[in-house]
Amino acid sequence: MSINQARTLSIAPMMDWTDRHCRAFHRALTRKALLYTEMVTAPAVLHGDRERLLGFDALEHPVALQLGGSDPVQLAEAAKVGEAFGYDEINLNVGCPSDRVQSGRFGACLMREPELVADCMAAIKGAVSVPATVKCRIGVDDQDPAVSLFATADACAAVGIEVFVVHARKAWLKGLSPKENRDVPPLDYDLVRRLKRERPHLNISINGGIASMDAAEAHLAEIDGVKLDGVMLGRAAYHEPAILGQADRRLFGAPVEDTDAFAALERYRPYMAARLEEGVALPAMARHMLGLMHGRPGARAFRRILTVEAIKPGAGLEVLDRAVEAVREAEARRDTAPGDWAA
């Protein structure tokens, strides 16, 4: 399967969430979707602990590295490092609205400087053989999104960039927190479709507020002759990861059954065992699974066991077994006494 096909569904880069353990867990639910790292700044790649920042397991493929920065030379060097580590794509963050990111002159504030974004992308593209892509907002602050989005896309397309992931909201760099910027600015899905309609040669994925596989399918449907190339899920994929178990069948047309939560944990188990053997603490992996049983009997017990027991010294896979057993027992009770259970 090509990486363009994998972009049918991608899992958003999310700071403090989509680390290597999270990605390995998500891969246990979907074999097809494109996974993304957390954003890593170019200076961190060049001067930091590369194995800690960039290391990943081969089972994560296809996986993209998202870089932050605004210095074309630094970004080119960091992209080379990322490619050497084996990433399938190098993505530039032009969407993060945090103060820390703004002070470093990267992220969403780059929407004000489309030519600089293009210079950065030209440098990245020239440095690597894997795809160089952009993740952006539709604009910032008082910009007209119909102008700012097209300006960024056109400037990058002029240097040979073809793939864009568009978070269909403005970012308000003054007055809203990063958390508020994920919810408060209104979504403008129509503008993203307009970009695809007027620039049909570009590969356009849509991101922002997409909370289910039903919604993902709706965004991928052809409407008035326009068909987007992909959908990116963010918080929904993290807080309710079980929905990813439907992706291969529903979005990729794979002739497979949906991946049940229990089956996903069995797939993830060898990875967990290997990391525990290396000295990784159980909570580093367990924290990404807390929402897996969302809506099921025993979900609260599942979360409690993974949260409370995982932090005990020497905690291992037996904690996961107890959490799974709590769900199975709750489901058995529900089947014998419908209505007498709590998620």
Side-chain angles (χ1 to χ4, degrees), residues 208-229:
I210 303 168
S212 67
M213 282 297 139
D214 287 347
E217 284 186 323
H219 280 290
L220 289 170
E222 184 172 324
I223 301 174
D224 297 329
V226 177
K227 191 177 189 307
L228 295 171
D229 299 285

Side-chain angles (χ1 to χ4, degrees), residues 211-285:
S212 67
M213 282 297 139
D214 287 347
E217 284 186 323
H219 280 290
L220 289 170
E222 184 172 324
I223 301 174
D224 297 329
V226 177
K227 191 177 189 307
L228 295 171
D229 299 285
V231 169
M232 176 178 274
L233 290 183
R235 285 168 291 165
Y238 191 84
H239 291 307
E240 299 181 39
I243 65 175
L244 298 177
Q246 308 168 32
D248 293 357
R249 175 182 60 83
R250 294 182 63 174
L251 303 186
F252 293 92
V256 295
E257 294 184 359
D258 292 349
T259 301
D260 176 78
F262 297 118
L265 290 175
E266 282 302 309
R267 282 187 189 173
Y268 191 43
R269 193 182 181 91
Y271 175 89
M272 295 180 71
R275 300 294 82 77
L276 288 167
E277 187 69 23
E278 293 169 357
V280 174
L282 182 61
M285 295 174 281

Side-chain angles (χ1 to χ4, degrees), residues 283 286-287 290 301-312 319:
R287 71 188 185 98
L290 297 181
F302 181 82
R303 294 192 298 270
R304 179 185 57 76
I305 292 168
L306 289 183
T307 301
V308 175
E309 298 191 23
I311 63 173
K312 294 179 180 178
V319 173

Side-chain angles (χ1 to χ4, degrees), residues 3 7 36 63-67 75 78-84 87-92 121 124 128 130-134:
I3 193 166
R7 287 193 190 95
Y36 277 78
V63 59
L65 168 64
Q66 187 183 67
L67 295 175
L75 285 165
K80 288 180 184 177
V81 173
E83 182 178 39
Y87 284 97
D88 301 294
E89 172 188 306
I90 308 296
N91 178 266
L92 180 65
M121 294 310 302
I124 293 171
V128 298
V130 295
T133 70
V134 175

Side-chain angles (χ1 to χ4, degrees), residues 168-246:
R169 302 181 199 268
K170 270 188 177 184
W172 287 95
L173 303 181
K174 297 179 181 178
L176 291 181
S177 70
K179 182 178 185 298
E180 290 169 328
N181 263 301
R182 292 193 292 267
D183 294 301
V184 175
L187 289 157
D188 191 348
Y189 294 138
D190 289 342
L191 183 61
V192 182
R193 285 194 166 273
R194 179 183 155 195
L195 178 65
K196 179 63 181 180
R197 182 173 66 249
E198 297 184 15
R199 306 291 189 270
H201 58 290
L202 300 180
N203 184 297
I204 306 295
S205 289
I206 194 166
N207 172 230
I210 303 168
S212 67
M213 282 297 139
D214 287 347
E217 284 186 323
H219 280 290
L220 289 170
E222 184 172 324
I223 301 174
D224 297 329
V226 177
K227 191 177 189 307
L228 295 171
D229 299 285
V231 169
M232 176 178 274
L233 290 183
R235 285 168 291 165
Y238 191 84
H239 291 307
E240 299 181 39
I243 65 175
L244 298 177
Q246 308 168 32

Side-chain angles (χ1 to χ4, degrees), residues 46-202:
L46 298 181
H47 306 297
D49 181 341
R50 292 179 180 177
E51 181 56 39
R52 180 180 65 82
L53 292 168
L54 302 181
F56 68 97
D57 193 286
L59 64 78
E60 295 175 41
H61 287 296
V63 59
L65 168 64
Q66 187 183 67
L67 295 175
S70 60
D71 182 317
V73 174
Q74 286 186 341
L75 285 165
E77 289 303 310
K80 288 180 184 177
V81 173
E83 182 178 39
F85 262 77
Y87 284 97
D88 301 294
E89 172 188 306
I90 308 296
N91 178 266
L92 180 65
N93 182 319
V94 191
C96 182
S98 77
D99 292 338
R100 182 171 62 87
V101 166
Q102 291 180 60
S103 66
R105 198 187 174 203
F106 57 94
C109 64
L110 289 175
M111 294 296 296
R112 296 195 188 107
E113 302 182 77
E115 295 305 325
L116 176 56
V117 176
D119 289 344
C120 292
M121 294 310 302
I124 293 171
K125 181 177 172 59
V128 298
S129 59
V130 295
T133 70
V134 175
K135 185 174 189 295
C136 65
R137 293 276 182 140
I138 59 174
V140 296
D141 296 338
D142 57 357
Q143 285 184 318
D144 178 350
V147 174
S148 54
L149 176 59
F150 278 74
T152 298
D154 288 344
C156 293
V159 298
I161 303 304
E162 298 177 346
V163 178
F164 298 83
V165 181
V166 183
H167 186 156
R169 302 181 199 268
K170 270 188 177 184
W172 287 95
L173 303 181
K174 297 179 181 178
L176 291 181
S177 70
K179 182 178 185 298
E180 290 169 328
N181 263 301
R182 292 193 292 267
D183 294 301
V184 175
L187 289 157
D188 191 348
Y189 294 138
D190 289 342
L191 183 61
V192 182
R193 285 194 166 273
R194 179 183 155 195
L195 178 65
K196 179 63 181 180
R197 182 173 66 249
E198 297 184 15
R199 306 291 189 270
H201 58 290
L202 300 180

